Every structure is written in structure tokens, then in C-alpha cells.
Amino acid sequence: MIDIKVLRNNPEKIKTNCIKRSVTHVDIDKLLEMDSHYLQLLNDVEGIRAKRNQLSKECQTNPEAREVVKGLKQELSDKEVTLSELKVQIEQQMSWLPNFLSSDVPEGNDDADNEELKIWGDKAVYDFDPLDHQELGEKLDIIDAKRGAKVAQSGFYFWKGKGAQLASALFFWAQQELVKKGFTLFIAPCAAKEKTLYGTGYLPFFADQTYQLENEDLALIGTSEQVMVAYHGDEILTAETLPLCYTANTPCFRTEAGSYGKETRGIFRVHQFQKVEQIVFCLPEESERYHEMCLENEEYLLQQLNIPYRVVNVCVGDLGAPGYKKYDVDAYFPGFGNYREVCSNTNLTDFQARRLGVRYQQNNGKKGIVHTISATAVTDRVVCAIMENFQEADGTIIVPNVLRPFTGFDCISPKSQ
RNA sequence: GGAGAGGUGGCCGAGUGGUCGAAGGCGCAGCAUUGGAAAUGCUGUGUACUCUUACGGGUACCGAGGGUUCGAAUCCCUCCCUCUCCGCCA
């Protein structure tokens, strides 16, 4: 949510931002008009109430005041109704305004326009045609998408046997690494109410992406970010305790409405996946710094795994409305023959915190709205990257060193028969 | 699923129609005291919106929404949530 005071004081800034971010359906001038009408009416209503309160006090000694107050009632209640209707309309419009942009967000329409910032690692050289994770998964019998579709729907899948062990090892290892870096681990609810999704900006912007539970004010989470950021909703955090660095490992559910046909091969774009997330609550002046920190953590994990990757600065067109700035980390997938997104790391500034009411208070009593950062640590996609990067000619996958203590084996080989 | 209890400020907890934004306590901040600290004493300390150049006003908020009344934390209705016990179950 954008601060309505910015709208009042500098509407041009909002207009420019909307144009930049291709938001065309909010009429800023009309919104301003509604707001000034609202303020006028608010003034009226409060004036009448003040008068009523004053007269009510006199009623005990002056019975005539009673009649005067009665006369105020109709006028007051009419105006109150209009006032609350206006307020709802204004808030609805406001909720569609996108966050402001960092000045270094590249122009552009889609991921092709993202700015490549860094490339790390040497791509392995193969004397055979590397397979993609789908083929490897079938060959090794560690990914079972067919039965996923049978028991649930296309877009769901099973990790099986050593594949499941490898995935579990990765998630556990990643969690432990983040805890070592000062993050607090959570096991979180995997469902959230509407208010929670609204507060984190997933509503109204990504409404078609959520699985809604029937007859309940509950939806399956699309990411643990939704519940982890809302965790501190309506709270005032003590400034000295910031930053709060949290991590959670949860399944994520997405309908992926409208994305059929796009990168659907394998288990890259699915309805349910596992994600270890980084969440940071911090002071406004520190969010850029912790945004970088989360990126460093993502890079650290991939480096430990020895997976080649690149870092991109996501362009305007590819950046979700709540985001102020976003880095994607794309791992190299030899079977696919290109880089593919495995992590995204967004500085949301105060956009979510304002909606959710996550504030901080300093020692001198000064209050403000915190900034939040949401960043991936690892997901199933990283397991896929491991598979594709560390495959051998016969399909054997070599387990990265750092995961071996958790898998208990060094490689996954095809069953000889 | 059955039965009961309860939702008041950062926390605990009083408060059954006006003097209640709300006693008291804890916590927190400042001051005093001290070599320093503890203890003690005094003072202050909710949030949001809005008006005002400022000083400072006003309005709203005691789970949510409605109602009664000149006036509601307090009375009435509806809903939500939390907790406890029993049953069932991972």
C-alpha cells in the first residue's frame, strides 16, 4: 500500500509510477477528488459529533439539550454512511496502486529485458548429451509425475526414494545454513485467510494464483512469505531487535492459471513445490543492505553446491506490483541448455508492512513502518539443478559434498537390471 | 462433534448508563538518590485519523457488526475468535 499522504502531496509521483508500471485502471485524479471529498465530510461529521458530545453533557442539567441532539441525529447518520462508503472506495482504489521503484530497476517488458549483473561458476563440459531432470528423474525412478497426476492432478508429483532423500537433505541443509547465519527457523501454517493474502500484496494482484478452500476464509499459501510477514501484523517491534531474520520451509501451492504451455516440461512449473524462504523485517534505511544480504545467502548456497548461476536485476515489466526491487538468481541447467530461475529476492520496502501494520518503535518513542524482504533460499528447482549439473553418462547423479552428511550416499545410480 | 468459560491499553487486571481513554499493578522512559548498581521515591508513558505555521484542539477505538438512549466498555441482538473439559483422531 502506498501512503495516502504521498497521493495528497505529490500526485504526479504516483501518476508517473503508474505509467512506468503499466497500471492504467486507477484514475488518480478521480481518486484525489474522492479523497478531498472524504476529508471535507470527515470534518463535518467530526464537528457534528463534537457538538453532540458537548450537548449530551448538558443534558443532565438542561433537558432542552436533549431535543437539540435528537435533531442532529439524522444529519449525522446520513453523513456517516456516505463517509464510510467513500472510505471503502478509496481504500479499494489505493490497494491497486503499485509500490514505487528503486531508481536502478531496468526498463523493460519481460524477463528478456532483465539486466545480467553477474555470472558465477564453470559450466561442466560433457562428452555426452546431458539429459534434463525429467528424463533423469524417470531413468533413476526418483520423480513420479504420472502418479502425481493420478492421485491429485497434472502438475503434482512425487519425489521417490533417493530423490526424496536428496531433496530432504537439500532443504534441511539450507535451513541449517541460514540458522548459522542468524535466521530463526519456523514451521508455519500452510493456509492463510484473505486478510493475510491482502496484507502481503498477493491480493488483489495475484488473485487467480491461489487455491481457495471451499466454505472457508482460507487459501493454501503460495509461499511462506504470506504467513511469515503477516506473523508480525498489527505489532510494534522494538527497533533494537531489528533486523528479524526468519526462515521457513513449507510447501507452496499455485494454480498457475494461464501458464500452461510455458516451461511445463519436467517439474519446473508445478502446483505444489517445497521452498525454504528468507524473510527479513528491518528499519527502512537498512532494507537495501539486507536485500543484498539475502542475495549473498542465495549465492553462498549455490556456491557451496557448486552450481553455476547468474544474477539478474529484474526489469519493471517482470517485477510484481508490490516489489521495489528484485534480484533473480538463475541456475544453469545443462539438460535444458540455459539458465533458469531458482531464486527470487524482493525488497518490498514498506508496501506489505503498511498494509499489515508492522511497525517499529525507537527508544525515543519515534515510530515508523518497517521494511520487509522476501527471498528464496532453495526450492525443488535446486534439486533439479543438482540433477542436471552433476549427471554422468549413464544417468548417475553425483551428490554435492555438502549434502552427503544428510543423504548418507554419494550418488544416485540407475538400477542395474 | 458435545458442554462450559472468556475476549478491556505493551502485558496483567478493575470497571454494570454520564465525572471512563478507561483504577491498580507490571513493564518502559526521565529525574532524584548512589562511588557505581540494586532497592526506593517522584514524574511521564495507548493507537489511528484529522484540524492548526506552531502551542494545541477535535473525532474514533474496551473482539466485530447492528440496536436501545440525549449519552454505551457497561443494556439488547447477531457474528467472530480464544481457552477449558468430554468424545474422536494424527
Side-chain angles (χ1 to χ4, degrees):
Chain A
M1 186 75 84
I2 297 299
D3 188 347
I4 196 161
K5 281 174 188 153
V6 177
L7 177 77
R8 287 170 191 162
N9 300 331
N10 194 355
E12 287 310 313
K13 186 179 174 188
I14 300 216
K15 282 184 190 172
T16 310
N17 190 50
C18 281
I19 291 165
K20 230 175 167 178
R21 308 199 68 166
S22 309
V23 171
T24 53
H25 60 286
V26 182
D27 186 336
I28 306 298
D29 289 322
K30 196 177 161 204
L31 188 52
L32 264 171
E33 208 175 287
M34 278 162 67
D35 182 56
S36 69
H37 185 193
Y38 169 80
L39 287 180
Q40 177 61 50
L41 200 55
L42 181 66
N43 234 305
D44 290 356
V45 166
E46 291 193 346
I48 297 169
R49 283 176 184 160
K51 204 161 151 193
R52 177 198 61 191
N53 292 347
Q54 184 55 41
L55 286 167
S56 290
K57 281 179 193 161
E58 292 174 20
C59 279
Q60 287 169 97
T61 50
N62 174 16
E64 284 167 31
R66 217 166 274 200
E67 298 310 311
V68 182
V69 178
K70 275 185 185 171
L72 291 175
K73 276 185 120 176
Q74 191 57 47
E75 187 191 2
L76 182 61
S77 84
D78 287 350
K79 288 194 170 178
E80 279 174 338
V81 169
T82 315
L83 187 70
S84 69
E85 284 170 357
L86 252 180
K87 192 177 177 191
V88 168
Q89 286 171 24
I90 290 167
E91 271 170 9
Q92 203 180 9
Q93 292 292 300
M94 289 296 295
S95 78
W96 277 104
L97 293 179
N99 198 356
F100 295 111
L101 289 168
S102 174
S103 58
D104 57 356
V105 171
E107 310 263 322
N109 299 316
D110 53 41
D111 56 0
D113 299 319
N114 292 344
E115 175 194 4
E116 193 170 273
L117 296 177
K118 177 178 183 179
I119 296 183
W120 184 91
D122 298 319
K123 295 172 192 170
V125 179
Y126 303 91
D127 52 10
F128 57 91
D129 275 345
L131 303 179
D132 70 19
H133 67 274
Q134 168 79 2
E135 291 170 302
L136 284 166
E138 279 175 20
K139 190 165 182 178
L140 297 167
D141 192 25
I142 60 174
I143 294 175
D144 193 339
K146 271 207 178 80
R147 289 194 176 87
K150 179 170 77 175
V151 304
Q153 197 183 58
S154 168
F156 291 89
Y157 64 96
F158 290 88
W159 282 113
K160 181 181 175 188
K162 285 186 172 172
Q165 286 179 269
L166 176 62
S168 301
L170 176 73
F171 298 134
F172 185 72
W173 167 76
Q175 276 169 207
Q176 296 294 89
E177 290 298 319
L178 286 174
V179 168
K180 278 187 210 165
K181 288 174 183 294
F183 283 68
T184 303
L185 178 64
F186 284 80
I187 295 177
C190 295
K193 59 176 68 172
E194 186 183 341
K195 192 180 161 196
T196 302
L197 299 189
Y198 175 84
T200 43
Y202 282 85
L203 290 177
F205 295 108
F206 305 104
D208 62 351
Q209 283 298 316
T210 55
Y211 281 107
Q212 185 68 39
L213 301 192
E214 217 173 328
N215 300 323
E216 297 271 4
D217 177 19
L218 278 179
L220 298 178
I221 57 171
T223 160
S224 56
E225 170 191 350
Q226 293 163 345
V227 286
M228 292 315 300
V229 176
Y231 181 81
H232 284 302
D234 293 318
E235 292 182 21
I236 299 176
L237 307 172
T238 307
E240 298 95 276
T241 64
L242 300 175
L244 295 172
C245 298
Y246 294 161
T247 177
N249 173 13
T250 67
C252 304
F253 301 91
R254 301 187 182 178
T255 63
E256 295 295 352
S259 62
Y260 287 105
K262 265 199 284 177
E263 299 185 327
T264 45
R265 184 171 164 75
I267 56 168
F268 209 75
R269 185 177 285 275
V270 287
H271 290 311
Q272 180 189 339
F273 60 95
Q274 197 70 18
K275 179 155 63 104
V276 178
E277 182 86 344
Q278 312 179 67
I279 298 291
V280 177
F281 297 85
C282 65
L283 295 172
E285 58 270 29
E286 293 182 331
S287 67
E288 290 192 15
R289 173 178 155 203
Y290 290 113
H291 188 216
E292 299 297 324
M293 178 195 79
C294 287
L295 176 61
E296 282 165 26
N297 292 342
E298 290 171 345
E299 292 192 57
Y300 172 81
L301 293 173
L302 289 175
Q303 287 176 12
Q304 291 296 300
L305 294 167
N306 203 26
I307 296 173
Y309 64 85
R310 69 173 180 194
V311 179
V312 303
N313 184 9
V314 171
C315 75
V316 181
D318 202 23
L319 177 55
Y324 169 79
K325 183 178 177 182
K326 173 164 139 180
Y327 294 126
D328 276 357
V329 176
D330 301 343
Y332 187 70
F333 284 71
F336 182 72
N338 208 340
Y339 289 97
R340 310 184 81 179
E341 179 187 330
V342 293
C343 297
S344 78
N345 170 9
T346 311
N347 182 355
L348 285 307
T349 59
D350 61 3
F351 193 85
Q352 297 178 322
R354 176 171 292 108
R355 288 182 179 223
L356 286 164
V358 188
R359 289 171 295 159
Y360 66 88
Q361 180 166 28
Q362 285 168 330
N363 225 348
N364 59 14
K366 205 187 145 205
K367 293 183 189 68
I369 295 173
V370 303
H371 280 196
T372 58
I373 292 143
S374 292
T376 313
V378 294
T379 72
D380 300 78
R381 287 182 176 182
V382 175
V383 185
C384 298
I386 290 170
M387 291 170 67
E388 292 195 20
N389 277 281
F390 307 123
Q391 60 179 300
E392 307 209 306
D394 67 346
T396 294
I397 292 161
I398 307 299
V399 175
N401 279 322
V402 290
L403 299 185
R404 292 181 188 180
F406 305 106
T407 55
F409 52 79
D410 299 351
C411 65
I412 304 176
S413 299
K415 289 189 178 104
S416 48
Q417 48 191 333

